């Protein structure tokens, strides 16, 4: 039986837990504090002058690096920041002359949802979100990007060599956008994931399905988790303006969240640039002339948007919900383009557009690997994406005999 003192302590504990887990926000000075009201508690703080996230407390632990904060681009410096609550959603809106960034917290959900609307490229020449996270609590990530292990630079200032001859770079964390919906860092009993949910969150990014950019960087001070929408690292087409995302930073105790994260509620939040289902259509069809032993990728793009999809084993495909307009439509055998045509889509409708390889039938005299737009078949091809050519894990080149 509980004595009065123990009973009072127990009631006080539950009272504190109840207050801590209440969904809502408060403002004090330059800080907006938002409590997600989730069972695995998440409380974030946003600076209402700069739009920086200054605190990310999940289950009582601070995961935000405290010397430099998390933000869009390299930080907005200053912005007009407002916060509103509508039912189960709290929205922070950060406005500059050329960019509007949104943070959204949903009641009961340990997730920071985001979207970014642009009318011009940021002055730093790239559009990204960077979460600067507590490295000591989040030591695990993509091994190739553990730049803190480097003791000297190999080239420039972004590729490092460790004492054992292994090489590391933030660029070695990259994954093709068509395959990159979730990447994460983790620690004991915590996973923080950047989720770019299918099917339309890359639509205003640039570079196409095979473009790749930095996902993470475990440096000497903090563990950075990124979402790159565009950059000058390897620019292949003009930047697109409009709404980028939605995307999300998801907190969990284990496992990786689904890439099909539901972000449809953004349509009810007055987010600039949002295009609903009535302004979108789909393209369905069948690919032909490319063996099913290859990945068959269908890609649509114009100056406003881009989309892609893998064809099924039978060759059938249906596009993501695309903004109404006229698109160039391409077919790839893995990453090698074999067909191109045009298609027009109306809002709220669907069209059929089959696509067949236009490649001339040839019999090569000899070949190294496959004609698929990738370096497979060459020495060290399986390592090139994640380490420098001077890395000690690379096999030495020597004379080869081909038949």
């Amino acid at each position: 039986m509980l004595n009065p003192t123990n009973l009072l302590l127990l009631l006080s504990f539950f009272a504190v837990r109840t207050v801590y887990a209440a969904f809502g926000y408060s403002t004090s000075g330059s800080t907006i504090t938002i409590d997600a009201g989730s069972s695995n508690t998440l409380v974030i703080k946003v600076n209402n002058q700069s739009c920086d996230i200054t605190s990310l407390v999940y289950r009582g632990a601070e995961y935000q690096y405290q010397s430099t904060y998390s933000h869009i681009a390299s930080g907005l410096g200053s912005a007009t920041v407002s916060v509103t609550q509508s039912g189960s959603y709290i929205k922070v809106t950060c406005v500059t002359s050329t960019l509007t960034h949104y943070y959204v917290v949903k009641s009961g959900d340990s997730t920071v949802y985001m979207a970014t609307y642009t009318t011009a490229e940021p002055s730093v020449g790239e559009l990204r979100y960077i979460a600067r996270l507590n490295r000591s609590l989040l030591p695990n990530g993509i091994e190739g990007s553990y730049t803190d292990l480097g003791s000297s630079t190999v080239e420039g200032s972004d590729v490092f060599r460790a004492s054992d001859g292994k090489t590391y770079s933030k660029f070695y964390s990259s994954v093709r956008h068509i395959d990159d919906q979730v990447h994460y860092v983790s620690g004991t009993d915590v996973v923080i994931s950047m989720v770019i949910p299918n099917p339309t969150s890359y639509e205003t990014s640039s570079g196409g399905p095979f473009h790749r950019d930095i996902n993470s960087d475990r440096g000497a001070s903090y563990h950075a988790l990124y979402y790159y929408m565009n950059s000058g690292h390897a620019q292949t087409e003009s930047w697109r303006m409009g709404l980028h995302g939605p995307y999300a930073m998801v907190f969990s105790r284990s496992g990786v969240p689904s890439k099909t994260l539901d972000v449809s509620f953004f349509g009810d939040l007055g987010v600039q640039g949002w295009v609903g289902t009535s302004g979108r259509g789909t393209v369905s069809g069948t690919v032909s002339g490319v063996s099913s032993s290859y990945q068959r990728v269908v890609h649509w793009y114009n100056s406003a948007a881009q989309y892609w999809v893998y064809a099924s084993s039978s060759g059938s495909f249906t596009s993501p919900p695309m903004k109404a307009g006229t698109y160039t439509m391409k077919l790839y055998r893995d990453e090698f383009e074999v067909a191109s045509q045009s298609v027009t889509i109306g809002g709220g409708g669907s069209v059929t557009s089959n696509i067949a390889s236009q490649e001339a039938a040839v019999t090569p005299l000899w070949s190294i690997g496959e004609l698929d737009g990738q370096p497979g078949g060459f020495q060290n091809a399986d390592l090139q994406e994640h380490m420098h050519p001077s890395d000690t894990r690379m096999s030495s080149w020597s004379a080869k005999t081909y038949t």
Side-chain angles (χ1 to χ4, degrees):
M1 182 174 179
L2 291 173
N3 62 46
T5 300
N6 289 340
L7 180 59
L8 180 61
L9 288 172
L10 185 61
L11 291 173
S12 298
F13 170 79
F14 282 112
V16 170
R17 294 280 296 190
T18 302
V19 170
Y20 191 75
F23 176 67
Y25 76 91
S26 62
T27 300
S28 177
S30 62
T31 300
I32 301 168
T33 301
I34 304 172
D35 191 324
S38 47
S39 56
N40 288 313
T41 55
L42 175 66
V43 178
I44 75 168
K45 294 181 179 180
V46 180
N47 184 288
N48 64 15
Q49 305 297 312
S50 67
C51 195
D52 289 358
I53 287 182
T54 61
S55 178
L56 291 163
V57 175
Y58 178 62
R59 302 184 66 247
E62 177 64 81
Y63 289 100
Q64 171 62 52
Y65 178 62
Q66 288 300 296
S67 295
T68 318
Y69 299 126
S70 300
H71 41 226
I72 191 69
S74 292
L76 298 179
S78 62
T80 301
V81 181
S82 60
V83 57
T84 57
Q85 181 171 346
S86 176
S88 298
Y89 303 96
I90 295 170
K91 179 181 69 172
V92 176
T93 305
C94 309
V95 180
T96 72
S97 60
T98 60
L99 182 151
T100 301
H101 184 70
Y102 300 94
Y103 296 114
V104 176
V105 176
K106 179 182 177 182
S107 178
D109 189 348
S110 300
T111 298
V112 181
Y113 295 91
M114 292 177 273
T116 308
Y117 180 84
T118 59
T119 59
E121 185 70 3
S123 59
V124 293
E126 59 185 22
L127 184 63
R128 65 174 186 184
Y129 192 86
I130 175 172
R132 293 184 168 93
L133 303 173
N134 187 328
R135 178 183 175 279
S136 62
L137 297 180
L138 296 161
N140 308 314
I142 301 171
E143 184 178 353
S145 67
Y146 291 173
T147 58
D148 59 310
L149 298 179
S151 56
S152 62
T153 55
V154 178
E155 59 179 74
S157 59
D158 292 316
V159 183
F160 300 87
R161 179 181 287 111
S163 57
D164 60 2
K166 294 180 180 179
T167 53
Y168 301 90
S169 174
K170 59 188 179 183
F171 293 104
Y172 298 155
S173 66
S174 66
V175 176
R176 302 187 315 172
H177 280 180
I178 192 171
D179 301 319
D180 185 19
Q181 280 75 57
V182 183
H183 48 269
Y184 60 91
V185 297
S186 66
T188 302
D189 207 25
V190 60
V191 181
I192 303 179
S193 304
M194 191 67 76
V195 181
I196 309 97
N198 278 340
T200 60
S201 287
Y202 278 114
E203 68 183 1
T204 318
S205 297
S206 300
F210 312 123
H211 184 73
R212 56 176 70 228
D213 218 318
I214 302 165
N215 281 347
S216 66
D217 180 12
R218 194 185 74 182
S221 299
Y222 56 83
H223 205 157
L225 183 65
Y226 297 89
Y227 170 42
Y228 262 89
M229 288 149 266
N230 65 49
S231 78
H233 297 148
Q235 185 178 357
T236 59
E237 60 179 344
S238 298
W239 310 138
R240 293 181 175 89
M241 299 299 123
L243 185 66
H244 301 263
Y247 50 103
M249 187 160 44
V250 179
F251 292 72
S252 58
R253 297 183 65 178
S254 63
V256 179
S258 170
K259 66 182 182 181
T260 57
L261 192 67
D262 180 17
V263 291
S264 60
F265 59 84
F266 269 74
D268 301 321
L269 298 180
V271 170
Q272 189 171 7
W274 178 265
V275 177
T277 55
S278 63
R280 298 178 179 273
T282 58
V283 182
S284 297
T286 302
V287 305
S288 59
V290 179
S291 170
S292 60
S293 62
Y294 296 95
Q295 289 183 327
R296 294 168 294 181
V297 175
V298 186
H299 173 207
W300 299 266
Y301 65 91
N302 58 24
S303 62
Q306 60 172 2
Y307 307 92
W308 47 73
V309 71
Y310 285 114
S312 71
S313 58
S314 66
S316 64
F317 63 85
T318 297
S319 75
M322 298 162 59
K323 295 177 184 177
T326 297
Y327 292 84
T328 298
M329 176 178 176
K330 293 197 172 185
L331 171 64
Y332 302 91
R333 179 174 60 233
D334 285 352
E335 295 187 13
F336 185 74
E337 180 187 332
V338 295
S340 180
Q341 60 195 46
S342 179
V343 63
T344 299
I345 305 155
S350 61
V351 297
T352 298
S353 184
N354 299 319
I355 188 166
S357 172
Q358 299 161 356
E359 184 182 19
V362 295
T363 302
L365 296 177
W366 66 278
S367 66
I368 300 174
E370 300 287 339
L371 189 59
D372 58 6
Q374 299 187 83
F378 286 95
Q379 182 86 305
N380 300 313
D382 58 326
L383 305 178
Q384 291 177 11
E385 296 172 358
H386 303 294
M387 60 189 71
H388 192 267
S390 66
D391 194 292
T392 53
R393 290 168 289 183
M394 292 279 189
S395 299
S396 299
W397 286 76
S398 59
K400 301 288 184 182
T401 299
Y402 295 94
T403 56

